[in-house]
Amino acid sequence: MPTSHAAPFTACPIAHLRSPYARRIDAPHQSTVVAGTETGAEAEARIEFADDLPGEAFRDLAGFERIWLLFVFHRSEGWKPQVRPPRGGGKRGVLATRSPHRPNAIGLSAVELVAVEERALRVRGVDLLDGTPILDIKPYVPYADAFPAARAGWIDTIDAAQGRRSAPGPKRPRKPAASAGP
């Protein structure tokens, strides 16, 4: 595994996500691409804040429709410089993909903010696993965060061949994990 020449730093989670996705195989590859998931719908989840985070820190999120989550891919098992994206087309440089296996295992996801609750947020449209550590939250601001005409490199080529938003969901529909009943 490649190493970094930069000095390490530490970050403490401000929250943890409670998600219906217990296993990587259950979660969609992207939050809005839910074909093949058990319900076929965008999942709701709950962000539970750390006890030492003051409530004033997230109070003014009410009124935002979307938020950015910066999180840790806490189940990532290392990384490689090149990965094979699920949409095909051969290996790509990891930094040109959304692979969870990254040099610093940090992810970014825009989710719908459903409600601000006491010590928690309800969100919809997650592709994160249960227990995911949340490092930071930022409001989604359309005039600054949306660039619909931006080029998307090799993804534009795949879109032209397969259709826009053709990103796959899980390879086959998932069923709930078998319960350990009597």
Side-chain angles (χ1 to χ4, degrees), residues 49-62 116-117 119:
F49 288 105
D51 291 338
D52 61 348
L53 186 76
E56 294 86 3
F58 55 89
R59 179 188 64 215
D60 294 317
L61 283 172
V116 177
E117 301 175 340
R119 309 283 326 141

Side-chain angles (χ1 to χ4, degrees), residues 87-164:
R87 292 183 73 187
K91 286 191 173 186
R92 303 285 179 183
V94 70
L95 299 181
T97 73
R98 294 186 170 200
S99 170
H101 308 292
R102 313 188 69 73
N104 283 310
I106 296 172
L108 173 70
S109 191
V111 299
E112 180 184 352
L113 179 59
V114 176
V116 177
E117 301 175 340
E118 185 175 333
R119 309 283 326 141
L121 303 175
R122 275 192 303 124
V123 296
R124 182 180 300 120
V126 298
D127 53 356
L128 309 178
L129 300 180
D130 188 53
T132 296
I134 305 297
L135 298 177
D136 204 353
I137 296 171
K138 297 179 183 287
Y140 179 92
V141 181
Y143 77 83
D145 294 343
F147 302 94
R151 292 186 312 278
W154 62 270
I155 295 172
D156 286 343
T157 304
I158 289 179
D159 282 351
Q162 297 178 6
R164 190 158 181 220

Side-chain angles (χ1 to χ4, degrees), residues 22-96:
R23 304 172 303 166
R24 285 181 22 204
I25 199 165
D26 297 327
H29 290 287
Q30 301 294 321
S31 63
T32 59
V33 182
V34 294
T37 61
E38 183 183 348
T39 66
E42 291 183 0
E44 273 205 21
R46 183 177 167 90
I47 297 170
E48 297 176 348
F49 288 105
D51 291 338
D52 61 348
L53 186 76
E56 294 86 3
F58 55 89
R59 179 188 64 215
D60 294 317
L61 283 172
F64 285 93
E65 185 174 332
R66 294 195 164 268
I67 56 175
W68 289 107
L69 303 179
L70 282 85
F71 60 91
V72 177
F73 286 110
H74 65 298
R75 294 194 193 167
S76 178
E77 299 173 353
W79 72 283
K80 294 180 181 174
Q82 290 197 317
V83 298
R84 191 174 307 279
R87 292 183 73 187
K91 286 191 173 186
R92 303 285 179 183
V94 70
L95 299 181

